[in-house]
Amino acid sequence: QVQLVESGGGLVQAGGSLRLSCAASGRTFSTYAMGWFRQAPGKERDLVAAISGNSDLTYYSGSVKGRFTIYRDNSKNMVYLQMNSLKPEDAAVYYCAALSTWAGAFRRSAYDYWGQGTQVTVFS
């Protein structure tokens, strides 16, 4: 069982930065691939970025590539999403999620555990 708690959301001006954090419980955190998803009102929950258990593999959606960075610290059971050059279209609730194998990292349905989400609002 893995419990996930996100933090770091907030209100930011377009062009600004935020860092989201996700704290995970459990002693086997390093065995889980992790993903960050986002969901805007009336839209699907979409994968933004993912990282493998030992950080050797990462994925970014086209809309955030070059602006967002996912990284993790297995010694602290933490995964982060550094978001730079934020745009109004990045506004959403951001969710942290965990899955047991990188092979499923691109499918929302493959994720086993989810956090409650943290709101990001970007104003122009």
Side-chain angles (χ1 to χ4, degrees):
Q1 189 78 7
V2 176
Q3 293 184 321
L4 304 172
V5 179
E6 303 96 335
S7 61
L11 182 65
V12 63
Q13 190 170 19
S17 298
L18 280 176
R19 188 182 76 160
L20 305 183
S21 300
C22 175
S25 66
R27 294 177 292 176
T28 58
F29 175 69
S30 63
T31 68
Y32 286 87
M34 300 296 296
W36 282 99
F37 289 76
R38 67 185 181 188
Q39 187 169 20
K43 296 191 175 181
E44 295 285 318
R45 188 175 298 187
D46 293 326
L47 178 65
V48 173
I51 188 167
S52 61
N54 62 2
S55 302
D56 62 337
L57 298 170
T58 56
Y59 164 83
Y60 296 93
S61 69
S63 60
V64 307
K65 198 169 187 178
R67 300 188 297 121
F68 291 12
T69 302
I70 187 171
Y71 62 102
R72 64 192 295 164
D73 185 340
N74 287 343
S75 69
K76 297 180 180 179
N77 279 20
M78 297 290 295
V79 62
Y80 305 94
L81 186 68
Q82 178 66 46
M83 305 187 296
N84 298 329
S85 302
L86 282 160
K87 304 175 181 180
E89 52 264 42
D90 294 318
V93 178
Y94 282 72
Y95 297 90
C96 172
L99 77 164
S100 59
T101 172
W102 175 256
F106 309 116
R107 292 184 291 113
R108 183 179 62 195
S109 61
Y111 285 77
D112 302 306
Y113 305 102
W114 292 84
Q116 294 300 305
T118 186
Q119 177 73 50
V120 172
T121 303
V122 184
F123 64 95
S124 56

